[in-house]
Each structure stands twice: as C-alpha cells, then as structure tokens.
Amino acid sequence: MNADQTNKTWSNSLIGELELTEPKREEEHWKKESIFELPTFVKDRNVKAYEPQVVSIGPYHYSKPHLKPMEVHKRRALRHFVKRGGEPIQSYKKGLLKDVHLLRESYARQLDEEWTDDNRFVELMIQDGCFILEFLSAAANYYKENDTYALSDPMFSYYGTIVNYNPVMHDLLLVENQLPYLVLFTLWSIKSSLSENEVNHILSWMMFAPNEGPGLHMLDMYMKGLLRGGKQFEEEIVVKRCASELHHQSGVQFKKVGSYQDIKFDKSTATLQLPSVIINDYNASTLLNLLAYELRVGTGRDMNSYIYLIDSLVDSAKDVRLLQSQGIIVSSMGSDDAVVKVLKDLARDTVVDSSCMSYLAIGEMNKYYEESMNKWRRRFRDWRSKLYLNYFSNPWTVISVAGAAFLLVLTVIQTAYTVLSFYSDHPGGKKR
C-alpha cells in the first residue's frame, strides 16, 4: 500500500468516526456490533482461553500460521455443502451480497483492507459458514445415510468428529471467532428451501439451544440455550469416585484380566475387570504415540477410552497402590505420585468412544455406585424414622429418655467426684 492509499484509508476511517458523533447514531452502530475483540489486558491473563487453537472463523484470526492447516478442511466442507444442496455457489454468494454491509457491521473494529472488498468478504463468510454447518451436522449425525464423506475422513466422518470435537467446539465458542447468524441462516435456507421457522429450528438444535429462535451468532445461541437449561456440548461420562473411594464406600473390587475385550463391571460381585498397564519413563512415550496413532487411523478408541478410565480411577498415590496390589498398574517409577502425574499426562488428549468396553464399564459401575449410596441413604432415613417413632414421637417418652440421660450424667459425675476425693485425701495411695 502506497502513501496515498494509506492516507485515503485513514481519511475514510476518520470521516466514518466523525459521522458517529450523534448519540442516536452511535447507539444504533453499537447495537449492530456483536463480534468484537477483547481488550489485551483481558486476553494476556490466559491467551489460550480466548484465541482459537485449530480453526479460525471470520476475519480476526484468519491469517495466523498455526490455523492454516484447517483451511484445507474448510474448502472440502464448502464443496460437500454445495454439492449436497444442488445449488451453484453463485446462489449463495448472491444471497449474502445483499446483506454484506449488515454482515460487515457485525464486527466491532475496522477490518483489514483485504476484507473491504465485498466479494472477498462474502467468500470468507461462505467458506467459514459451510465449515460450521458441515461439522455440526456431522457431529450430530444429521445427514446419516446421505452423507457424502468417506468413512475414514479425518474431520467429518463419525470418528473424525469424535477426535476433533472438543478442540473445534472450543474454537467455535470463542468471542472473537464468531460468524453472524445471518450467514448460517442464509446458507441453510438456500441449500434446503425450507421455511424460515424450519431453518431456525434446525440451527438452534445444532447450537444446543432448541426452540430459542435466531440469535446473533453461535456463542449467543449457546448462551441462550444454557440459560434456559439446555444441555452443554460436553457429554463426557466420568467415574463417580476414585478407586480407593469406590472400594471403601461401596465395596468395589478390582481384578486383572488379559485383554481389553474382557473389560467389564460385574455387578453381581461388584468387580471391575481391567487389563494391566505398564507405566515407566520409556513406556509413557510409547503410550502417547499409540494414543495419537489410534486417533488418526484406528477404527475404534479402545486404548484412548481405557487410559481415560484408568486416569479417572487415580486421584492420588493411594489409588495407585490399590491398583498395583491387583496387578492392574505395573510401575517402575520412583514414586506412586510420579505414576499419578504420568497418567494425567497420558489422559490429557484422550478421546472416549461410547461403544468401547471401558466406556460401558464406567456406566455400569456408576450405576452400581449410585444404587449402593441410595441404599445406605434409605437405611439411614429408616433408622432415623424408627428412632423418632420409638423415642421422640411421644412427649412422655422424650421426657423419660431425657431424664434417664440426666441421671446417667449425674451418676458419672458423682463417681468421678468420689474417685478424685479419694486421691486428694490419700496422695500416696495406690490402687489395690
């Protein structure tokens, strides 16, 4: 950009700001802005919490190098979306160009010069919008039999969405990484030819805000659903208690088995059957590579699910010792605390599959634990009720019990007083 162009851009920006000097016009301007950048002093406290890690949405983070690899999947999503809809891409472009100024005004700051070109800006909106819609559709298994993606697709297949779900959803729910709802609405309307209400219903369902109607963007929809009691996108199943607490509170036993296929929770004996896992300085690296390999090319998530289960059972060195005593954890680490740390590192990026034996075992064990705890709660309530009925329902019974307790206290005091008096009168006295 030469000096004249720079001055022209600066002048236009300044004129635009001067035009907003009237309070009413300024208020209208602020209302249109829904996708804004956070102040630096807020982001600097925790950069990863506010900036995308795998995918950029919209213009704010578009050019960052670590987000470039996802651009390939964005373009693939665009091709699949357009092919499935049967409409030429020009139809989507034409539909969004009608509202291009409204879409651009959704962003709070003056965008880079690259996005001042309407065609370039709309192309970004289409590509990112198609990615969001294709990923959400794949994750919700919306297309089912009509899906056009390969079974081994690394992003949009069943296993692809499982592997990428948490990091992608993390990025799709960032303040600075949003796309105007109007983009998603327009794209889906052109593709499907459904009514306005039908499109809003589908989009709100995908964004975890069923029947909440149109919003500003995905984060806005997600918040609406959350405030109205809608489900959050995380649906992880977790172990209710660590191994030592399960053992002491509800009598759960642990037994070593030889295969991942033998993992199960036997309710009749309250026994969780688990294969051995070897933890040492060298094997930890091998396990990390096996976990990563399984996520990319495996047809299941058995190892990921199992490491997740073991990590859920281990909160402290006490849990390590319990599982070691049964041969489930085999370790040559210097301490049990070191084993806990290694397991936390191994489980950090694991992805659980609900069809794996480990996942099913967690569900059965959680159910047994809840039933066991409920049984003890019922027994306590029954005991408390019987105590009340037998001793406290009749006022005369209460008085009798209180009187007996009072007499018992007096007897104890009198006995203690007699003993103390004896030793005070006979300082050198000994018991006979």
Side-chain angles (χ1 to χ4, degrees), residues 40 56 79 194 221 267 310 314 321 393 418 421 432:
T40 303
S56 69
R79 290 197 297 270
L194 295 175
M221 291 294 292
K267 185 177 179 180
I310 291 293
V314 174
R321 289 192 290 270
S393 59
T418 302
S421 297
R432 295 183 180 179

Side-chain angles (χ1 to χ4, degrees), residues 185 188 192-204:
F185 177 85
W188 199 275
S192 63
S193 299
L194 295 175
S195 68
E196 181 177 332
N197 288 337
E198 289 174 317
V199 173
N200 284 327
H201 176 77
I202 292 171
L203 294 179
S204 63

Side-chain angles (χ1 to χ4, degrees), residues 209-277:
N211 303 318
E212 290 302 319
L216 299 174
H217 41 66
M218 184 167 174
L219 183 62
D220 180 58
M221 291 294 292
Y222 181 69
M223 185 174 69
K224 287 180 178 179
L226 209 57
L227 294 175
R228 296 289 181 90
K231 70 173 184 177
Q232 301 182 47
F233 73 84
E234 299 89 352
E235 293 185 349
E236 282 186 321
I237 183 171
V238 295
V239 175
K240 295 290 186 181
R241 293 289 185 271
C242 62
S244 56
E245 290 179 350
L246 287 167
H247 178 65
H248 293 298
Q249 293 181 8
S250 54
V252 171
Q253 305 294 319
F254 300 92
K255 178 184 176 183
K256 185 182 77 169
V257 292
S259 167
Y260 280 35
Q261 299 305 311
D262 296 325
I263 297 172
K264 73 173 183 177
F265 180 76
D266 188 342
K267 185 177 179 180
S268 63
T269 60
T271 302
L272 180 60
Q273 300 179 181
L274 301 171
S276 294
V277 57

Side-chain angles (χ1 to χ4, degrees), residues 249-250 368-378:
Q249 293 181 8
S250 54
Y368 175 85
Y369 175 80
E370 287 297 333
E371 290 175 350
S372 177
M373 292 297 99
N374 288 335
K375 186 184 297 183
W376 281 108
R377 294 187 190 102
R378 286 195 298 270

Side-chain angles (χ1 to χ4, degrees), residues 391-423:
Y391 298 101
F392 299 103
S393 59
N394 190 319
W396 294 108
T397 304
V398 175
I399 293 172
S400 299
V401 171
F406 181 69
L407 290 174
L408 177 61
V409 171
L410 287 178
T411 303
V412 171
I413 293 173
Q414 183 179 15
T415 302
Y417 178 78
T418 302
V419 171
L420 291 172
S421 297
F422 173 80
Y423 280 102

Side-chain angles (χ1 to χ4, degrees), residues 55-60 74 107 128 131-132 172 176-179:
V55 59
S56 69
I57 298 296
Y60 287 160
K74 286 186 184 180
Y107 294 91
D128 287 2
F131 175 83
I132 293 174
L172 294 185
E176 298 181 349
N177 215 37
Q178 297 301 308
L179 208 66

